[in-house]
Amino acid sequence: LRVVKFRRTGESSRSEEDAISGEHEVQIEGVRTELEAVELEDGAAVPKEFANPTDDTFMVEDAVEAIGFGKFQWKLSVITGLAWASNYAMEMMILSILAPQLHCEWRLPSWQVALLTSVVFVGMMSSSTLWGNISDQYGRKTGLKISVLWTLYYGILSGFAPVYSWILVLRGLVGFGIGGVPQSVTLYAEFLPMKARAKCILLIEVFWALGTVFEVLLAVLVMPTLGWRWLLILSALPLLLFAVLCFWLPESARYDVLSGNQEKAIATLKRIATENGAPMPLGKLIISRQEDRGKMRDLFTPHFRWTTLLLWFIWFSNAFSYYGLVLLTTEFFQAGDVCSISSKRKAVKAKCSLTCEYLTEEDYTDLLWTTLSEFPGVLVTLWIIDRIGRKKTMALSFLVFSFCSLLLFLCVGRNVLTVLLFIARAFISGGFQAAYVYTPEVYPTATRALGLGSCSGMARVGALITPFIAQVMLESSVYLTLAVYSGCCLLAALASCFLPIETKGRGLQESSHKEWGQEMVGRGSQSPGVARSDSGSQE
């Protein structure tokens, strides 16, 4: 552990004794400061002179809060949203359009069509933790840039796939790159002040919707004339724009602090202050350096063990239920109502597995409406997440989804069926976004990217399993299928309530070292009882 203290000094010149000792000066907004470093072994207690800092002491969290939300964060929101729309939403939406097209054009059996979707999720599942580790070890910006360029390269190559085996491998590699997209949320969250964090991360869902809408409109224009190859190539091009804009992105100041690049962290904070037209905090900046970052074992320390396990199940349940509902919606709409779905599917099974139908204009319209149904969920989540907290928001979302699933046991008509499916879709998508808010907030900077990446990987496991429930089990029993989804979400609601840490109103943690966290409790807190520490707010 390396603790660096920036101490305000007078305007007098340095003495010869200072020069001999090797101390040097760093200028922060016109105030001369003297850099004083103390080397400590990992886990050693912080010296007393650091344990009782004065009111002028500040950390990166304090600087971000003092500078506030402004022009810099607006630019960052657009760039993060572009990553979410182009690298995530569009590439995922292609799966709904590409599968039926290749089913017809290459005369693929149903299992090969399903494999085209599954291989993307396999790629995402296998890479999510890796991208998180890279982002914790080498920087958020580095991990994000590599993942975007990877997705761009293999996305364009997919358009030139000559045979089925080639496109299967290439789409799997695209999925491997998409697994790094959640790190854009890590970088984004670390630049946001506490009051704006939840709202801004939730509004990223708007870019998801815009990306899917753009992809559907692009398919309407491109598919009838140029075909699916050009759709894949053109869909990857927005990633090139994001790759160029990445040069504007700064590295996270929190990451720089933890990796010991204090001068770079100060430069980044000064840049944000300048763009926002806000004053830079003055005084003593305390920096905690931690060399051991991005280690999986840190997610299972006594303090985070239960949080990690519960979050893994919550993320699994979110993806399992969300993608399951997407598949069930198509099945229910084709059948007309829940009660007649079994007989309809038996009739379909009698048909040749190679029978195919190209997507029609009506199909594209349904895809658009399905996407737009998520907006109410975002608005509801946006309204309640800072009122009742992150844990209760996730629990409520799971409970509403479970309740709607149980109501589908009734033989409701098409209109009521549509309302129930849309309510369930709205709340499960809102719950997914609430998990994206909570996860970066609960983990410290040293493991934040890895924590989010591992949770994202567990979500892909849920996405992989759900077709076997929503399609295979559905053939045997509609009610058993609905009971599985309802039961899973009930358990996820309980898991949300049992999370040991509530992050509402809490700043992002800088370090996972317990000793450092305990010392920071003694800092000049903004309000009594608020511990700006590793332990956070426990319930």
Side-chain angles (χ1 to χ4, degrees):
L1 180 67
R2 177 181 174 86
V3 181
V4 182
K5 178 178 177 182
F6 290 85
R7 186 177 61 204
R8 183 177 304 185
T9 63
E11 293 298 325
S12 58
S13 59
R14 293 162 56 196
S15 65
E16 292 182 5
E17 187 176 336
D18 288 339
I20 295 172
S21 66
E23 295 173 341
H24 59 279
E25 296 176 352
V26 180
Q27 192 74 18
I28 306 181
E29 292 295 300
V31 177
R32 180 170 298 175
T33 59
E34 187 176 303
L35 181 63
E36 184 179 339
V38 179
E39 293 283 354
L40 299 174
E41 293 183 3
D42 246 6
V46 181
K48 290 181 179 178
E49 61 178 301
F50 290 91
N52 298 296
T54 67
D55 292 338
D56 290 325
T57 299
F58 71 92
M59 297 174 68
V60 176
E61 175 74 16
D62 303 310
V64 171
E65 293 296 329
I67 294 170
F69 190 94
K71 187 177 179 181
F72 174 85
Q73 281 81 8
W74 279 114
K75 291 180 183 178
L76 188 61
S77 298
V78 173
I79 294 177
T80 306
L82 179 61
W84 208 249
S86 60
N87 199 3
Y88 212 166
M90 290 178 66
E91 291 294 337
M92 294 302 294
M93 195 66 192
I94 285 177
L95 300 177
S96 303
I97 300 167
L98 183 64
Q101 185 71 22
L102 292 181
H103 181 44
C104 294
E105 190 170 319
W106 286 355
R107 313 304 291 178
L108 300 175
S110 298
W111 69 269
Q112 287 188 333
V113 176
L115 199 56
L116 276 173
T117 300
S118 297
V119 75
V120 176
F121 286 119
V122 169
M124 295 171 69
M125 179 185 67
S126 61
S127 69
S128 294
T129 302
L130 174 64
W131 291 120
N133 183 270
I134 290 173
S135 297
D136 278 331
Q137 291 277 6
Y138 306 105
R140 282 70 163 116
K141 181 178 177 180
T142 302
L144 189 58
K145 279 199 301 185
I146 295 173
S147 69
V148 167
L149 291 173
W150 179 290
T151 308
L152 172 65
Y153 179 69
Y154 288 108
I156 292 175
L157 280 185
S158 298
F160 298 96
V163 292
Y164 173 77
S165 58
W166 270 97
I167 198 166
L168 195 66
V169 172
L170 290 170
R171 294 313 293 176
L173 290 171
V174 168
F176 191 91
I178 296 175
V181 180
Q183 300 314 322
S184 62
V185 177
T186 304
L187 179 64
Y188 187 44
E190 291 182 340
F191 281 117
L192 293 173
M194 184 174 60
K195 289 184 179 180
R197 192 181 305 129
K199 294 182 179 65
C200 289
I201 295 176
L202 283 172
L203 289 175
I204 293 296
E205 177 72 10
V206 175
F207 286 93
W208 169 281
L210 291 175
T212 52
V213 168
F214 180 77
E215 184 63 35
V216 172
L217 294 176
L218 186 64
V220 171
L221 296 173
V222 173
M223 292 293 280
T225 53
L226 299 175
W228 62 269
R229 295 182 185 277
W230 274 102
L231 179 66
L232 290 179
I233 294 170
L234 292 174
S235 297
L237 290 182
L239 291 172
L240 184 61
L241 175 61
F242 177 78
V244 172
L245 291 175
C246 268
F247 289 100
W248 175 86
L249 278 176
E251 182 54 85
S252 167
R254 298 176 192 270
Y255 169 80
D256 286 333
V257 157
L258 214 61
S259 59
N261 295 325
Q262 63 268 20
E263 292 183 2
K264 192 175 177 184
I266 293 169
T268 299
L269 291 172
K270 290 174 68 176
R271 171 185 166 184
I272 299 171
T274 301
E275 288 199 37
N276 287 3
M280 175 77 180
L282 305 176
K284 296 170 285 187
L285 175 62
I286 297 180
I287 295 181
S288 166
R289 179 170 180 171
Q290 188 173 331
E291 296 289 354
D292 200 19
R293 303 184 303 274
K295 301 297 183 183
M296 184 63 76
R297 66 173 180 270
D298 291 334
L299 300 181
F300 293 95
T301 59
H303 183 68
F304 288 111
R305 186 181 301 131
W306 276 111
T307 298
T308 298
L309 292 174
L310 290 171
L311 274 178
W312 280 7
F313 180 69
I314 288 168
W315 278 73
F316 170 89
S317 302
N318 259 319
F320 178 75
S321 305
Y322 176 84
Y323 291 109
L325 184 66
V326 171
L327 295 172
L328 286 174
T329 300
T330 305
E331 300 291 345
F332 288 157
F333 281 170
Q334 286 178 343
D337 60 70
V338 177
C339 297
S340 61
I341 192 169
S342 296
S343 59
K344 293 270 185 181
R345 286 192 66 85
K346 287 175 182 176
V348 171
K349 276 185 73 178
K351 297 167 70 176
C352 175
S353 65
L354 294 179
T355 302
C356 71
E357 295 180 2
Y358 288 96
L359 289 176
T360 63
E361 187 176 338
E362 185 179 359
D363 293 325
Y364 286 120
T365 303
D366 289 341
L367 285 173
L368 283 173
W369 280 112
T370 304
T371 302
L372 294 174
S373 70
E374 297 185 15
F375 279 105
V378 176
L379 294 175
V380 171
T381 308
L382 195 65
W383 187 72
I384 66 175
I385 195 166
D386 279 326
R387 286 175 169 81
I388 66 174
R390 281 65 161 142
K391 292 164 53 178
K392 291 178 181 177
T393 298
M394 290 188 285
L396 178 64
S397 299
F398 284 123
L399 285 174
V400 172
F401 180 91
S402 182
F403 182 65
C404 290
S405 300
L406 291 176
L407 289 179
L408 291 175
F409 274 70
L410 306 174
C411 289
V412 296
R414 176 68 179 253
N415 291 336
V416 178
L417 174 67
T418 302
V419 171
L420 289 176
L421 289 174
F422 271 43
I423 292 174
R425 176 77 175 263
F427 274 88
I428 198 64
S429 63
F432 220 147
Q433 286 303 109
Y436 267 109
V437 173
Y438 179 85
T439 307
E441 288 182 335
V442 77
Y443 287 112
T445 303
T447 53
R448 185 170 295 125
L450 179 62
L452 184 62
S454 65
C455 287
S456 180
M458 288 303 297
R460 306 316 148 198
V461 175
L464 273 172
I465 294 174
T466 201
F468 295 97
I469 306 299
Q471 293 175 323
V472 179
M473 185 182 285
L474 192 68
E475 294 179 4
S476 303
S477 172
V478 179
Y479 301 112
L480 180 59
T481 301
L482 292 172
V484 168
Y485 285 111
S486 181
C488 181
C489 283
L490 279 175
L491 291 175
L494 285 174
S496 301
C497 294
F498 283 123
L499 284 168
I501 302 172
E502 172 59 72
T503 61
K504 174 192 171 187
R506 190 186 74 155
L508 296 184
Q509 304 167 80
E510 301 293 353
S511 173
S512 59
H513 283 281
K514 186 175 182 181
E515 290 81 2
W516 176 258
Q518 288 173 339
E519 295 296 342
M520 285 300 99
V521 178
R523 295 176 64 247
S525 301
Q526 282 85 349
S527 58
V530 178
R532 305 175 55 86
S533 70
D534 168 67
S535 58
S537 54
Q538 299 273 351
E539 287 193 346

